[in-house]
Amino acid sequence: MTRGGARTTTGHAAPGRQRSGADPTPERADTAGQAESVGGVDPVRAAWTEYLAAARQLDGVRRDAATAAGEQARSVQAAREELTAVRTRLASQEARLHERGVPPISLVPTPPELTEATRAMAGGPAAVLAALRTARGRADAADATLAARGLPRLAAWPPRLRNLLVYGPLALLVPAIQLVLFVTTGTGAASVAALVCGLPMPAVAFVAGWIGVGRLFPPPAGGRVERTARLGALVCLVPAVLVSAGLLLAMLAG
């Protein structure tokens, strides 16, 4: 019985040893996983962080692409509008040049000009828009030259200096007549009448200069006449005031 009991005890004890020897493996695995997640980098959290960074980068690329596409669309629309305006201006100028006897062959662009224009517009919609604006500026200059009736060189002058040639002679006309009458008749009735009649003449000279500037230097199509009103008023007023004051003092002294 002792052997049987020993066998029984041994038989019962053996499975217990086997269980106690097999149980530590999962516990060690859990402990190693906890140590890796606490002391190292959590792979799930690292993957999520990388995903967020990639999403932010992709959103930035998408926004940049949308901005670039919007700017390109606006440039294309502006280039189309500019092209329509330039074509209209060129058609009008071509008709006016034909009326003035310019041969049609002179209005056709040469191969080097076409090559240069193609090269200037090879940079995309923005480059095309810049080239069209340059062409419109040249068309404005050509309109100003064509509109100057017999005064192409004066049309290219600065507006102040150009308009001074119109306001100046008109402003000096009446004071010159007053001086001539005073020298001729002295302090007589004619000089007094000329002095009195000359008082409103600066306004008349200014109006005449205003009209003359518009007639001699008409604006390009769709533009406004640069009359330099302040300069014209000053030019017409100063000579009349100085001459009238001088004549009045001379009359009082005489």
Side-chain angles (χ1 to χ4, degrees):
M1 292 180 64
T2 304
R3 292 178 181 177
R7 288 174 184 175
T8 305
T9 305
T10 305
H12 286 289
R17 291 193 188 99
Q18 291 176 359
R19 291 191 191 94
S20 62
D23 290 342
T25 302
E27 295 176 358
R28 291 176 182 176
D30 294 340
T31 304
Q34 293 176 0
E36 183 180 359
S37 61
V38 175
V41 179
D42 188 359
V44 176
R45 183 174 297 176
W48 177 251
T49 303
E50 293 178 358
Y51 170 76
L52 290 179
R56 293 191 187 98
Q57 185 177 5
L58 180 61
D59 184 65
V61 172
R62 181 186 61 80
R63 290 183 180 180
D64 293 342
T67 302
E71 292 179 354
Q72 185 174 6
R74 287 190 293 270
S75 298
V76 170
Q77 181 63 27
R80 289 177 178 174
E81 295 176 358
E82 199 73 26
L83 179 61
T84 302
V86 171
R87 282 179 174 175
T88 303
R89 302 285 294 280
L90 292 180
S92 175
Q93 291 179 3
E94 184 178 3
R96 296 171 67 180
L97 290 173
H98 285 166
E99 293 176 356
R100 298 192 179 189
V102 177
I105 191 64
S106 300
L107 304 178
V108 178
T110 61
E113 292 175 346
L114 292 176
T115 303
E116 184 64 24
T118 304
R119 186 182 306 170
M121 293 186 295
V128 173
L129 180 59
L132 288 173
R133 286 176 177 172
T134 302
R136 187 171 184 178
R138 293 177 179 176
D140 291 340
D143 277 341
T145 302
L146 291 174
R149 302 172 183 176
L151 300 174
R153 296 182 179 179
L154 295 180
W157 286 18
R160 291 179 178 273
L161 184 59
R162 181 189 65 193
N163 295 344
L164 185 61
L165 298 178
V166 180
Y167 290 115
L170 294 174
L172 295 176
L173 180 60
V174 174
I177 295 175
Q178 290 175 341
L179 288 175
V180 171
L181 288 176
F182 179 78
V183 172
T184 304
T185 62
T187 58
S191 297
V192 176
L195 181 61
V196 174
C197 295
L199 294 178
M201 293 309 296
V204 177
F206 174 74
V207 173
W210 177 281
I211 298 173
V213 169
R215 293 291 182 87
L216 294 175
F217 309 109
R224 297 178 59 184
V225 180
E226 296 184 5
R227 288 189 169 92
T228 58
R230 293 181 180 178
L231 176 65
L234 186 63
V235 170
C236 294
L237 183 62
V238 170
V241 171
L242 293 178
V243 172
S244 298
L247 292 178
L248 182 61
L249 293 176
M251 290 179 182
L252 292 178

